[in-house]
Amino acid sequence: MSFEPHASPKHIAIIMDGNGRWSKKRLMPRNIGHLMGASNLRKIVKACVNHSVKHLTVFAFSTENWKRPPEEVAILFDLFVRYLKSEIMELQAQGIRWRVIGDQSAFPKELKDQIDFACKATERGTQLDLTVAINYGGRWDILQAVQGWQLAHPYESLDQLSQDALDPYLATHPLPEPDLLIRTGGESRLSNFLIWQCAYTEMFFTKELWPDFGEASLSEAIEWYGQRIRRFGKTDEQVQESSLRAKSVLHPN
Ligand code: IPE
Ligand code: IPE
Ligand code: MG
C-alpha cells in the first residue's frame, strides 16, 4: 500500500537540548553554549518561516531546570531578557508573533515587563507564532488547566470536565497540537514538555547538539515527518480512504 507524503507540519515543537555539551566539547563555559543556542534559534525561526510552518514552540527552561546551579539559572534568565531586547525589531519585521508559556510568577520583574512589551509589539504578526516555554512543565500545565476550568465553572463538578473542555485552559491555547516534535542532544524523552499536547505528535530525535542544528537539519526533520503515516488509531486502509476522499474534494476531476 503506498501513501502520498502528507502536508508539511504546521506546528513544530523543539526541545533545544545540548548547549552544555556543545561548550564542554570546546572547553568553554556553559553560558557560551546557551548564547550559541539563542543565536541558533534566530536561524531556525527564519527557516521555519521559509518552510511555511505557522507555529513554533520551543522549550527554553523547564520547571525542573531550577535544580541547576543558581549561577546558570541567573545566566539563562539574563539571556532571555537580552534576547528579547535585541530581537524585538527583527521579530516585528519578520511578522512573528511572540508569546511565552509557563509559570511567570517566579520571573524577575524585568523579564515580565520585557515579555509584556514583546507580546504587545508583535501581536499583529501573521507569519509565525513563536511560543517560548520558560518555567514550563507539562504537569504544571495540566494542573493549572484543571484549576482554570474549575474556577470558570464553580458550580460544576469535576466529572463534567471532558478532554475537549480542558483545551481552552491549557497554556498552549489556541495553538493546535504540535505535528512534529524535534529533540536535539541525543536524549529520547520529553522531559516534561507538552506531555498532554504531544499525544499524537511525530517525534524526531537527533544526536546533533542544539547550537549545531541548522537549516539542513530542520529540512531533514521535516522530510522525515512527510514520510510518517499518521493513523490516529485507524487502520492503513481507513487512512488511505480518507486521504483519497480529501483529494477528490480538493480536485473534483
Ligand atoms: C538545553 O541545553 C538548555 C536548557 C536546558 C536551558 P542543556 O543546558 O541542557 O545542555 P546539556 O544537555 O547539558 O548539553
Ligand atoms: C530539557 O532539557 C529542557 C530544555 C531543553 C529547556 P534538560 O537538559 O533539562 O533535560 P534532562 O534533564 O536531560 O531530561
Ligand atoms: Mg540538557
Side-chain angles (χ1 to χ4, degrees), residues 115-163:
I115 290 171
D116 289 347
F117 182 69
C119 290
K120 283 230 165 59
T122 64
E123 69 188 357
R124 287 172 197 272
T126 55
Q127 287 299 305
L128 174 92
D129 291 315
L130 172 60
T131 304
V132 182
I134 307 177
N135 195 19
Y136 177 88
R139 290 175 180 174
W140 164 84
D141 196 2
I142 295 167
L143 193 61
Q144 69 80 32
V146 173
Q147 288 165 343
W149 179 87
Q150 183 78 94
L151 207 65
H153 303 85
Y155 303 110
E156 290 179 34
S157 68
L158 271 183
D159 49 328
Q160 282 162 292
L161 173 59
S162 65
Q163 294 181 17

Side-chain angles (χ1 to χ4, degrees), residues 16-21 30 65 68 183 187 189:
M16 309 183 291
D17 196 19
N19 296 348
R21 278 162 286 165
R30 292 178 66 86
N65 287 145
R68 294 194 176 196
R183 181 172 185 146
E187 311 300 348
R189 55 179 174 250

